[in-house]
Amino acid sequence: MPLRPARCYKELKKPPYTRKEYIDGVPPPKITKFVMGNPHNNYDVKLELVSIENAQIRHNALEAARVMAHKYLSRYVGEDKYLFIVRQYPHHVLRENKMMAFAGADRLQEGMRQAFGKPIGTAARVKMGSVIAEVRVFKDAIDHAKEALRRFTSKIGVKCRIVITELTKK
């Protein structure tokens, strides 16, 4: 059965549920790399992607956004000239009570009885004002970093803004 659209899981309706010891078969998150680029440079500027709404971001959306932003930065800025960090981790377990949808299904299924649901994935719960991703670059690559974060935002489906901060040299 395919995944439901992201709009089914985007809103923060229920309290967070992360107790994986009570749930059998929680799939691991698809996103595995959170820090990309060169962490050892002294960069000039830090660009942060800040959420302006409360939402949930599914793990497969985070991975798709990470791949897209990382590919753009490595192509246009250079492999060793940026630091890209995904700040959110998908802890929240998403569950679904699958119902049958064919003729005669009402005689077979249990309905709402014991409707805890089967785990279908994980999601990061993002509050308003929290940082989702961060890019550190030199001053000449600010426009490319903005474009990478814009592409990141288009994949996660959460309204965001980009905050630019000058970094002090040590």
Side-chain angles (χ1 to χ4, degrees):
M1 193 167 163
L3 282 175
R4 287 183 177 175
R7 66 176 175 265
C8 298
Y9 305 104
K10 184 180 172 187
E11 294 179 25
L12 297 178
K13 294 178 184 174
K14 301 174 185 173
Y17 194 86
T18 59
R19 299 293 300 268
K20 292 183 177 133
E21 62 265 22
Y22 295 129
I23 303 174
D24 291 332
V26 176
K30 284 188 179 176
I31 182 166
T32 54
K33 284 182 84 174
F34 291 89
V35 179
M36 288 137 287
N38 185 3
H40 303 295
N41 281 346
N42 287 329
Y43 297 104
D44 300 330
V45 184
K46 174 174 73 171
L47 291 87
E48 293 177 327
L49 193 68
V50 178
S51 171
I52 56 175
E53 65 180 354
N54 295 334
Q56 288 185 150
I57 307 170
R58 290 193 305 190
H59 64 119
N60 52 349
L62 272 175
E63 174 64 9
R66 179 196 72 84
V67 167
M68 181 175 259
H70 177 55
K71 191 177 289 188
Y72 182 86
L73 286 169
S74 63
R75 177 180 292 160
Y76 291 104
V77 177
E79 194 67 42
D80 292 338
K81 296 179 183 170
Y82 70 92
L83 174 64
F84 177 53
I85 304 169
V86 178
R87 292 274 179 209
Q88 296 295 326
Y89 186 85
H91 286 287
H92 180 68
V93 179
L94 297 174
R95 300 185 312 269
E96 184 178 287
N97 184 27
K98 293 186 176 151
M99 304 297 272
M100 293 180 240
F102 53 84
D106 54 338
R107 292 186 294 278
L108 297 174
Q109 65 192 29
E110 294 287 320
M112 286 301 291
R113 189 182 302 167
Q114 296 180 351
F116 186 73
K118 297 277 186 279
I120 58 160
T122 55
R125 292 175 68 93
V126 177
K127 298 274 173 47
M128 186 176 9
S130 61
V131 177
I132 299 172
E134 174 184 323
V135 178
R136 295 180 186 217
V137 291
F138 297 112
K139 282 189 178 177
D140 59 338
I142 290 177
D143 293 334
H144 290 301
K146 280 184 189 177
E147 176 61 20
L149 288 178
R150 187 196 66 77
R151 291 179 181 209
F152 190 95
T153 306
S154 71
K155 285 290 187 183
I156 59 174
V158 176
K159 292 179 184 167
C160 299
R161 61 188 170 94
I162 297 173
V163 177
I164 301 173
T165 309
E166 290 266 341
L167 296 173
T168 58
K169 297 286 182 179
K170 293 179 184 178

